[in-house]
Amino acid sequence: MYFILKWLPKIVVDMGSAALQAAGVLVWANVGGLAGAVLLSVLSWRLPLRSLLVAAMATAIGSLVAALALLGLRPLRIARSGAQP
């Protein structure tokens, strides 16, 4: 997670967006993290922790793959070829 938050503004700027827009993306990434943490803490009172953790990890991986696909990056193709994006 640290890697994503640390490099997110640079990636957005490298894609052609303004620095101000990159800062906005970073803010919303942090807001999303806060919302997810609050949601998981509330759900942990009601659901078994193991199933909640599995669901959270699956959702995180799915979200990452979807975000990469929206950016035009194909993680499976990159992993198979060993090439850098």
Side-chain angles (χ1 to χ4, degrees), residues 43-67:
L43 289 176
S44 71
W45 286 82
R46 304 184 189 285
L47 300 173
L49 194 54
R50 181 170 293 210
S51 13
L52 184 61
L53 181 60
V54 169
M57 295 304 283
T59 302
I61 291 169
S63 298
L64 181 61
V65 169

Side-chain angles (χ1 to χ4, degrees), residues 11-57:
I11 293 168
V12 172
V13 168
D14 287 349
M15 291 177 61
S17 297
L20 185 61
Q21 194 172 19
V25 169
L26 181 60
V27 167
W28 284 109
N30 282 306
V31 169
L34 176 64
V38 170
L39 178 65
L40 284 176
S41 67
V42 168
L43 289 176
S44 71
W45 286 82
R46 304 184 189 285
L47 300 173
L49 194 54
R50 181 170 293 210
S51 13
L52 184 61
L53 181 60
V54 169
M57 295 304 283

Side-chain angles (χ1 to χ4, degrees), residues 65 68 73-85:
V65 169
L68 290 173
L73 303 173
R74 303 286 183 243
L76 294 177
R77 184 189 72 205
I78 293 169
R80 286 185 193 140
S81 69
Q84 296 295 322

